[in-house]
């Protein structure tokens, strides 16, 4: 069998070892290489004779994926293999990229011609999926394991000048069968290539064991090295020890994600000095709970794929750092490196800034699920060596990172003997960390019970240690005693995820539940341009792939360009490490420290009072430095009493960083709480009523009511305060379905029900237009074609003249008729105004969007933005941008004119330059071409969001059922 098809991990690579820097020479070979792509391996082999020529070569940057540089194209599949499943064989159509670099050694590079001073290795940090390395025509070896390092000894083949390094990379190999992760298939040399000098007496490998005993406050330290003879110094601790020697270190500060205390150390041997960063910490499961340094953890995590919209998985260092900073700033304390070991520099950043890490092996065989896992490499002895190699290369490389607290065997690979063997291998090599794998429900080979997308109900049962038993009583008893995490939950695809608050409440209630990792960190949208040259983010199918999984890869908390999505802001609020519960009536605030390790001394607290969204008073708040888990009631005495009755009043308490930290400046907001101190001004002086006027039929019979004119036939509003009403206000129940509405199942999803029952095609029947005293009353029945149910609607218009001018009020009474078979998407009025109104100011929930089950991050205040700023540009267009609890909103045009909409008492607002139908039909935001009409939805209610795109749907309290509803709004000129 060929080297790229046989299941072995390869030939010629040196045994894996720790990643470290040292004072030995290194030379980065990153840069522009020669490149040519062949459609098959045979084509590449046929071209071998002209390896040294200039024929057909182009330039390609290393690291990179060739498909992102105009050669071939990316392809996205989730679970299905994009080729016939016949392991370990791969298709003849196997894009094969030859990479070539001609390089000289620096003049002062030791050896190779001056004899015996050590040797020179060639290291590849990541090449997908299989490659063969030649130096000056001699083969150094072959390798698989895309996200793993491989080192080759250059032996006698390295020249001082004119080295020709040839790397042949195959897109498909046996390795592809064990790398079926849900992501773009992107081949290439996508991580760095380095030449390493290894002097005589160099360190081959080093393994730091730095523990912490929370009972004594002492650290323990042992540094194992190969070869064994070396000295370790830790100047800050005044320590010198021999490698292999164990010492107790009194009074060290332990490492944690909250206080990532690192001690600089050095390992010195005859040939080399290796800087080390020590983090003293001990990971354990005690009484069924994961602890670090004796403290139970609550993981507020995310799953992070490596992704950049231009570079794919060749993520620049600055971007990795940005990821870590963004996580820290959004109260995230943990990362699962789904589903492969990340670039090693990312783990350095986790050590430095403080994140708990589950480091996952580069293993997924998910596609075998479609044949009931028959032939699964995870259970076939022919693959044992490959799988152990994947475990070993991860553990060896990353074993010195204090941030890594768990090793994960891989993702979605069924069960089998090779997983068991990986677990045994890891336990033997590194007994000091926990082992994770979600795919084996029995947990036989793991230390934590882990699930993905379990419902709230099931998570609660697990929290009570009352889950459904396993068949095997011994395994069941063992599992029941294990701590629990959700390694994936809250699928952040499109608008959402909903239900975070309810999960977090469970995590905070049951000690067994130690948190989870939202799926996932970032949308995998690749920057592209459409035929008209408009930029957009591409997802599956956009490159013409015959087999793909569409936008299922756009399911992150960040948009592809790393703009935080509303989901990330919601998550930040839900997992905030300080509970702030304001009681305006009692004039107190209850503050709870939800950190795992630190007290609250690092935070500064402040209060403010806002009347109608305007801050009228503020001050600092003294909060005791509560220890983790402690709460205190703090008086808000200084906040005084409520102001004069000139409007609604809210009290806000915020916790911000007291001082600059490595990841955010002083003043960065960590947590907040808000409570209403007083309702809106009790009375509004009523103005004089205006009565409807019907013009004579000679004048078209138009109806006028104060600032509004109406169609006499069906009572629809034509003009409003002089603005042209292009779409008269009418009841609307539909929304452009979200990814979560559509769910994974086209038959049973709530969107399927809406379409089956034609809620996207509601018909409006006008039953009468009457003048009833001072009101204009329009009655109607709104119902779907074919439906035996509907909504009876009474629109009642009244007019008023006040000191500020005239106003038009609309009250809409909605009464369900017949049996409604499904929830409603939304319930409100939609209207369209033909006017260049571009600026929106509102008092209500903001600044971002919110829906019934995603509204924690919205606070009551006064906000303003443009119509563009009112949109959330989901990679796949869908319902977005609704601002909840709006008391009033003002829409203004460039000339200052406009409209003010007041809620009775409040409504949810969306404002867009396209219709719901256009939004639903769009495939990319660039498809949405603004028209001259501003389309508004003034909603009384919305159906929740949920996370049915992968996981539970909308929880019962957030379902929108047809019930009697009243919506009241008033229209005036802006103040
Ligand atoms: C789960 C996968 O582990 C993850 O890689 C991703 O595909 C996620 O789903 C959905 O985006 S597997 C799923 C079948 C629960």
């Amino acid at each position: 069998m060929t080297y790229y098809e046989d299941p072995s991990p390869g030939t010629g690579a040196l045994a894996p070892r720790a990643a470290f820097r040292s004072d030995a020479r290194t030379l980065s070979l990153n840069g522009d290489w020669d490149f040519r792509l062949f459609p098959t391996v045979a084509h590449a082999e046929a071209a071998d004779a002209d390896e040294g020529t200039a024929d057909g070569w182009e330039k390609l940057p290393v690291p990179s994926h060739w498909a992102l540089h105009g050669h071939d194209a990316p392809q996205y599949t989730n679970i299905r293999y994009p080729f016939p499943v016949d392991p370990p064989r791969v298709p003849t159509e196997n894009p094969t990229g030859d990479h070539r670099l001609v390089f000289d050694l620096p003049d002062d590079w030791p050896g190779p011609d001056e004899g015996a001073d050590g040797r020179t290795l060639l290291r590849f940090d990541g090449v997908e999926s299989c490659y063969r390395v030649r130096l000056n025509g001699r083969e150094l070896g072959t390798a698989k394991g895309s996200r793993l390092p491989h080192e080759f000894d250059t032996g006698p083949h390295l020249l001082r000048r004119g080295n020709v390094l040839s790397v042949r990379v195959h897109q498909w190999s046996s390795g592809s069968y064990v790398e079926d992760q849900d992501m773009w298939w992107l081949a290439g040399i996508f991580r760095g290539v380095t030449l390493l000098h290894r002097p005589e007496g160099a360190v081959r490998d080093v393994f730091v064991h730095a523990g912490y005993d929370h009972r004594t406050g002492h650290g323990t330290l042992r540094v194992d090295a190969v070869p064994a003879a070396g000295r370790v110094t830790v100047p800050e601790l005044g320590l010198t020890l021999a490698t292999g020697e164990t010492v107790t270190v009194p009074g060290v500060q332990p490492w944690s994600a909250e206080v990532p205390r690192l001690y600089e150390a050095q390992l010195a041997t005859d040939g080399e000095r290796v800087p080390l960063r020590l983090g003293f910490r001990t990971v354990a499961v005690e009484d069924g709970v994961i602890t670090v340094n004796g403290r139970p953890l609550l993981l507020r995590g995310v799953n992070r794929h490596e992704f950049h919209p231009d570079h794919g998985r060749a993520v620049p260092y600055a971007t990795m750092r940005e990821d870590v900073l963004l996580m820290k700033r959004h109260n995230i304390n943990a990362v699962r490196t789904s589903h492969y070991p990340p670039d090693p520099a990312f783990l350095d950043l986790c050590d430095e800034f403080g994140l708990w890490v589950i480091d996952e092996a580069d293993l997924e065989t998910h596609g075998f699920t479609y044949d009931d896992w028959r032939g699964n490499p995870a259970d076939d002895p022919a693959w044992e060596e490959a799988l152990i190699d994947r475990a070993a290369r991860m553990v060896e490389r990353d074993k010195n990172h204090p941030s890594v607290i768990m090793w994960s065997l891989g993702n979605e690979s069924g069960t089998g003997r090779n997983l068991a063997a990986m677990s045994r291998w890891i336990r033997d090599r590194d007994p000091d960390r926990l082992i994770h794998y979600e795919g084996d429900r029995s947990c036989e080979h793991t230390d934590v019970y882990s699930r993905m997308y379990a419902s709230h109900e099931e998570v609660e049962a697990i929290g009570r240690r009352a889950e459904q038993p396993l068949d095997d009583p011994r395994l069941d008893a063992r599992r029941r005693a294990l701590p629990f995490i959700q390694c994936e939950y809250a699928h952040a695809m499109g608008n959402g995820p909903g239900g975070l608050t309810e999960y977090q409440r469970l995590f905070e209630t049951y000690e067994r539940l130690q948190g989870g990792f939202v799926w996932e960190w970032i949308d995998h949208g690749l920057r592209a341009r459409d035929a008209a040259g408009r930029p957009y983010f591409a997802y599956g199918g956009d490159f013409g792939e015959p087999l793909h999984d569409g936008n299922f890869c756009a399911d992150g908390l960040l948009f592809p360009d790393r703009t935080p999505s509303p989901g990330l802001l919601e998550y930040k609020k839900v997992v905030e490490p300080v509970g702030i519960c304001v009681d305006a009536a009692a004039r107190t605030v209850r503050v709870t420290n939800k950190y795992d390790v630190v007290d609250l001394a690092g935070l500064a607290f402040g209060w403010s009072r806002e009347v109608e969204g305007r801050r009228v008073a503020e001050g600092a708040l003294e909060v005791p430095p509560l220890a983790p888990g402690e709460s205190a009631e703090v008086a808000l005495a200084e906040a005084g009493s409520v102001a004069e009755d000139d409007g609604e009043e809210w009290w806000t308490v915020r916790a911000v960083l007291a001082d600059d930290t490595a990841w955010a400046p002083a003043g960065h907001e960590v947590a907040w709480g808000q409570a209403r101190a007083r309702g809106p001004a009790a009375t509004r002086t009523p103005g004089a009523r205006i009565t409807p006027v019907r013009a004579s039929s000679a004048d078209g019979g138009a109806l006028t009511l104060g600032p509004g004119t109406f169609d006499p036939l069906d009572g629809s509003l034509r003009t409003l305060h002089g603005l042209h009403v292009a779409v008269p206000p009418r009841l609307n129940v539909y929304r452009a379905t979200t990814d979560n509405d559509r769910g994974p199942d086209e038959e049973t999803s709530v969107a399927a029900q809406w379409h089956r029952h034609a809620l996207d095609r509601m018909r409006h029947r006008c039953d009468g237009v009457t003048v009833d005293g001072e009101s204009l009353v329009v009655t109607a029945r709104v119902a779907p074609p074919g439906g035996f149910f509907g909504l009876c609607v009474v629109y009642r218009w009244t007019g008023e003249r006040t000191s500020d001018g005239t106003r038009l009020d609309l009250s809409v009474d909605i009464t369900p008729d017949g049996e409604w078979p499904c929830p409603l998407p939304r319930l409100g009025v939609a209207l369209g105004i033909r006017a260049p109104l571009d600026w929106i100011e509102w008092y209500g929930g903001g600044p971002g969007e919110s829906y019934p089950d995603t509204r924690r991050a919205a606070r009551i205040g006064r906000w303003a933005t443009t119509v563009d700023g009112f949109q959330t540009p989901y990679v796949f267009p869908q319902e977005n941008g609704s601002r909840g609890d709006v008391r009033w909103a003002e829409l203004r045009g460039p000339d200052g004119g406009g409209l003010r909409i007041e809620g009775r008492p409040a409504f949810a607002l969306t404002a867009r330059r396209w219709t719901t139908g256009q939004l639903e039909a769009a495939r990319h935001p660039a498809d949405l071409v603004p028209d001259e009409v501003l389309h508004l939805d003034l909603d009384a209610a919305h159906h929740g969001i949920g996370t049915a795109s992968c996981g539970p749907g909308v929880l019962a309290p957030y379902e929108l059922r047809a019930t009697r509803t009243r919506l009241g709004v008033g229209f005036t000129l802006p103040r």
Side-chain angles (χ1 to χ4, degrees):
M1 212 179 296
T2 62
Y3 67 88
Y4 55 92
E5 285 183 310
D6 86 59
S8 87
T11 51
L14 301 172
R17 63 193 185 107
F20 58 81
R21 279 178 272 276
S22 81
D23 63 351
R25 293 296 305 271
T26 63
L27 177 67
S28 168
L29 299 183
N30 297 348
D32 276 348
W33 290 39
D34 299 325
F35 176 77
R36 52 185 184 177
L37 183 66
F38 301 97
T40 70
V41 184
H43 284 82
E45 284 169 350
D48 270 351
D50 52 51
E51 191 174 39
T53 70
D55 290 352
W57 294 90
E58 293 177 45
K59 289 290 178 195
L60 183 77
V62 166
S64 77
H65 303 282
W66 66 66
L68 300 183
H69 290 267
H71 306 275
D72 206 2
Q75 175 171 10
Y76 164 61
T77 60
N78 172 10
I79 301 174
R80 285 172 295 177
Y81 289 101
F83 46 77
V85 183
D86 180 26
R89 303 293 311 278
V90 296
T92 301
E93 294 81 35
N94 187 359
T96 293
D98 274 355
H99 300 66
R100 183 180 70 181
L101 179 73
V102 179
F103 69 94
D104 299 335
L105 290 177
D107 288 340
D108 57 348
W109 189 272
D113 34 9
E114 341 17 295
D117 187 15
R119 53 187 187 152
T120 294
L121 311 184
L122 186 56
R123 185 175 67 216
F124 295 85
D125 280 314
V127 181
E128 179 166 338
S129 83
C130 170
Y131 60 112
R132 184 203 67 185
V133 186
R134 281 191 185 165
L135 183 63
N136 299 322
R138 304 299 180 83
E139 179 165 320
L140 299 186
T142 64
K144 297 170 206 121
S146 299
R147 270 69 62 172
L148 295 166
H150 297 99
E151 291 178 325
F152 300 93
D153 192 340
T154 59
H157 310 303
L158 189 65
L159 307 173
R160 194 147 280 288
R161 305 255 171 275
N163 288 290
V164 181
L165 174 60
S166 311
V167 185
R168 172 163 292 166
V169 181
H170 307 286
Q171 166 133 27
W172 307 123
S173 69
S174 61
S176 308
Y177 284 98
V178 290
E179 295 177 5
D180 188 28
Q181 292 97 341
D182 176 10
M183 60 192 192
W184 294 98
W185 296 95
L186 287 170
I189 305 175
F190 72 97
R191 287 187 192 155
V193 183
T194 318
L195 207 59
L196 307 164
H197 180 244
R198 309 305 300 136
E200 287 296 326
V203 177
R204 211 199 76 69
D205 194 13
V206 53
F207 196 167
V208 173
H209 304 269
Y212 181 78
D213 183 336
H214 64 280
R215 273 157 258 145
T216 60
H218 295 171
T220 51
L221 179 63
R222 190 181 87 235
V223 178
D224 294 331
V226 183
R231 291 205 83 61
V232 177
T233 49
V234 194
E236 203 183 333
L237 295 169
L239 269 183
T240 303
L241 61 155
T243 47
E245 179 188 349
T246 304
V247 294
T248 301
V249 201
V252 289
Q253 275 181 276
W255 188 95
S256 69
E258 290 169 15
V259 187
R261 180 67 161 97
L262 294 169
Y263 291 88
E264 304 286 336
Q266 190 187 65
L267 163 63
T269 65
D270 288 348
E272 186 173 36
R273 271 135 305 275
V274 176
L276 301 171
R277 295 197 300 185
L278 312 180
F280 292 88
R281 53 116 191 85
T282 292
V283 187
V285 171
E286 295 171 273
D287 300 327
V289 173
I290 304 167
T291 60
V292 177
N293 306 328
R295 304 219 183 231
L297 297 189
L298 190 58
L299 301 169
R300 304 159 160 100
V302 288
N303 281 279
R304 176 181 180 270
H305 264 288
E306 295 187 304
F307 187 76
H308 185 282
D310 300 307
H311 309 300
R313 287 186 285 280
V315 178
Y317 179 76
T319 306
M320 299 179 208
R321 193 166 184 280
E322 191 185 347
D323 277 352
V324 169
L325 295 181
L326 279 167
M327 288 177 193
K328 295 290 292 185
R329 290 174 189 160
H330 289 89
N331 294 333
I332 287 164
N333 72 359
V335 193
R336 172 175 177 235
T337 70
S338 53
H339 299 304
Y340 40 81
D343 187 297
F346 179 75
L347 297 177
D348 289 334
L349 292 164
C350 293
D351 291 345
E352 201 174 309
F353 290 96
L355 288 166
W356 306 113
V357 177
I358 302 184
D359 196 359
E360 189 149 274
D362 192 356
L363 172 64
E364 175 158 343
T365 64
H366 209 165
F368 285 86
T369 188
Y370 292 121
D371 196 26
D372 214 10
W373 296 103
R374 259 184 293 276
N376 181 10
D379 195 37
D380 178 345
W383 295 81
E384 179 174 342
E385 187 195 355
L387 268 56
I388 297 272
D389 183 68
R390 281 165 192 260
R393 283 189 188 276
M394 166 180 72
V395 172
E396 296 297 5
R397 191 194 74 168
D398 297 340
K399 59 188 180 261
N400 295 324
H401 289 285
S403 55
V404 176
I405 55 169
M406 284 189 226
W407 301 115
S408 176
L409 304 180
N411 186 56
E412 292 284 11
S413 298
T415 55
R417 65 190 94 183
N418 298 335
L419 288 160
M422 289 169 86
S423 171
R424 280 194 301 273
W425 189 96
I426 295 175
R427 205 177 292 292
D428 182 55
R429 179 63 175 143
D430 180 20
D432 296 334
R433 287 182 175 92
L434 307 181
I435 296 181
H436 169 271
Y437 176 60
E438 187 273 348
D440 182 359
R441 294 284 165 85
S442 78
C443 297
E444 195 174 352
H445 310 292
T446 63
D447 300 312
V448 289
Y449 180 22
S450 172
R451 291 287 307 280
M452 45 173 79
Y453 310 105
S455 67
H456 298 80
E457 205 185 345
E458 186 179 0
V459 169
E460 172 145 41
I462 295 170
R464 289 189 279 107
R465 297 191 194 268
E467 67 270 23
Q468 288 295 313
L470 291 166
D471 291 341
D472 178 329
R474 183 189 62 87
L475 285 176
D476 183 65
R478 181 177 177 280
R479 189 180 74 175
R480 211 169 287 280
L482 295 181
F484 177 82
I485 62 166
Q486 285 237 81
C487 70
E488 292 177 25
Y489 80 114
H491 198 244
M493 185 178 185
N495 188 335
L500 284 171
T501 303
E502 291 72 18
Y503 276 122
Q504 195 63 21
R505 196 174 296 143
L506 295 173
F507 298 160
E508 291 180 7
T509 303
Y510 298 97
E511 65 161 19
R512 186 189 193 189
L513 307 180
Q514 295 195 269
F517 297 77
V518 165
W519 186 268
E520 66 177 303
W521 177 235
I522 183 167
D523 287 342
H524 308 205
L526 289 167
R527 214 187 299 271
R529 280 183 188 277
D530 66 13
R534 294 173 303 198
Y536 73 101
F537 291 112
Y539 48 77
D542 284 334
F543 298 97
E545 313 103 281
L547 181 77
H548 64 81
D549 285 298
N551 65 318
F552 205 65
C553 59
D555 54 359
L557 294 171
L558 295 180
F559 292 113
D561 62 2
R562 291 191 154 69
T563 306
S565 80
L568 181 57
L569 305 180
E570 181 77 359
Y571 194 42
K572 176 187 179 186
K573 173 68 181 142
V574 168
V575 298
E576 59 192 13
V578 186
I580 297 179
C581 191
V582 180
D583 184 337
R587 288 212 268 148
T588 57
V589 55
R590 187 169 183 81
V591 178
T592 306
N593 180 355
K594 299 183 183 182
Y595 283 108
D596 297 324
V597 178
V598 295
D599 65 22
L600 297 185
L603 299 177
F605 289 78
W607 60 267
S608 59
R609 282 168 42 196
E610 297 100 27
V611 174
E612 291 285 317
R614 289 224 162 85
R615 189 166 297 180
V616 295
E618 63 185 316
L621 194 67
E622 280 311 313
V623 173
L626 303 169
E630 285 182 358
S631 294
E633 296 269 334
V634 183
L636 282 171
E638 268 191 70
S641 53
V642 292
E644 292 299 295
D645 187 5
D646 52 2
E648 188 179 1
E649 174 165 336
W650 283 73
W651 289 6
T652 306
V653 172
R654 300 163 70 232
V656 302
L657 290 179
D659 300 300
D660 291 350
T661 64
W663 47 271
H668 164 86
E669 186 176 276
V670 173
W672 59 275
Q674 228 186 6
R676 188 157 87 163
R678 192 193 50 225
T683 49
R684 188 171 62 83
T685 340
R689 278 301 173 99
I690 310 173
T691 20
V693 181
R694 197 186 281 271
S696 68
S697 46
D699 293 333
L703 276 164
T704 306
L705 178 55
T709 61
F710 296 81
D711 184 316
L713 298 180
D714 64 1
S716 36
L717 185 69
R718 290 256 187 80
T719 65
L720 179 60
H721 289 289
L723 297 166
H724 176 56
V725 180
V727 183
R730 288 213 297 197
L731 190 78
N732 179 32
V733 301
Y734 194 64
R735 71 182 182 197
T737 51
T738 65
D739 291 312
N740 288 314
D741 293 337
R742 287 186 296 275
D745 185 341
E746 285 172 14
E747 287 296 299
T748 61
S749 71
V750 70
Q753 297 177 54
W754 294 342
H755 294 155
R756 201 175 315 126
H757 296 296
L759 298 197
D760 52 339
R761 280 165 285 146
M762 297 292 271
R763 293 289 182 271
H764 297 247
R765 185 185 71 207
C766 176
D767 290 333
V769 183
T770 52
V771 173
D772 171 13
E774 290 169 334
S775 315
L776 175 66
V777 180
V778 180
T779 51
R781 186 173 183 277
V782 179
F788 291 87
F789 56 91
L791 299 166
C792 295
V793 194
V794 179
Y795 305 85
R796 181 177 294 272
W797 294 96
T798 49
E800 202 178 288
R801 189 180 313 279
T802 67
S803 51
D804 301 334
T806 56
R807 56 181 301 121
L808 191 63
D809 282 295
L810 169 64
S811 101
V812 186
D813 281 287
I814 305 155
T815 312
D817 183 27
E819 284 289 307
W820 272 76
C822 62
L824 284 80
R826 61 150 39 102
L827 194 55
V829 232
L831 71 158
I833 294 169
R834 190 180 303 277
L837 303 174
D838 191 46
W839 185 247
I840 308 180
E841 191 179 341
W842 74 101
Y843 171 49
E849 71 181 27
S850 62
Y851 291 82
D853 53 348
T854 62
R855 60 194 291 251
R856 291 282 308 282
R859 58 186 108 186
I860 299 299
R862 209 181 260 250
W863 315 103
T865 186
T866 58
V867 171
D868 277 349
F870 222 66
Q871 317 307 311
T872 309
Y874 290 112
V875 167
F876 189 93
Q878 54 197 281
E879 164 62 32
N880 72 83
S882 177
R883 304 307 196 273
D885 304 309
V886 174
R887 278 79 165 140
W888 55 256
E890 293 190 351
L891 311 166
R892 281 176 215 265
D895 56 359
L899 187 66
R900 176 180 168 100
I901 310 172
E902 293 180 357
R904 299 268 175 276
F907 60 98
L909 174 68
T910 64
R912 357 184 124 100
R913 300 208 176 281
W914 34 81
T915 63
T916 293
Q918 287 164 333
L919 182 59
E920 178 138 272
R923 288 296 164 263
H924 296 100
D927 301 341
L928 291 164
V929 184
D931 64 25
E932 269 139 36
V933 177
L934 182 66
H935 298 273
L936 303 172
D937 271 286
L938 317 177
D939 291 310
H942 247 280
H943 186 59
I945 296 294
T947 57
S949 57
C950 188
V954 172
L955 297 174
Y958 308 113
E959 287 189 341
L960 178 57
R961 296 283 166 187
T963 46
R964 284 190 77 120
T965 304
R966 168 172 288 183
L967 170 72
V969 282
F971 300 96
T972 67
L973 290 174
R975 292 243 171 105

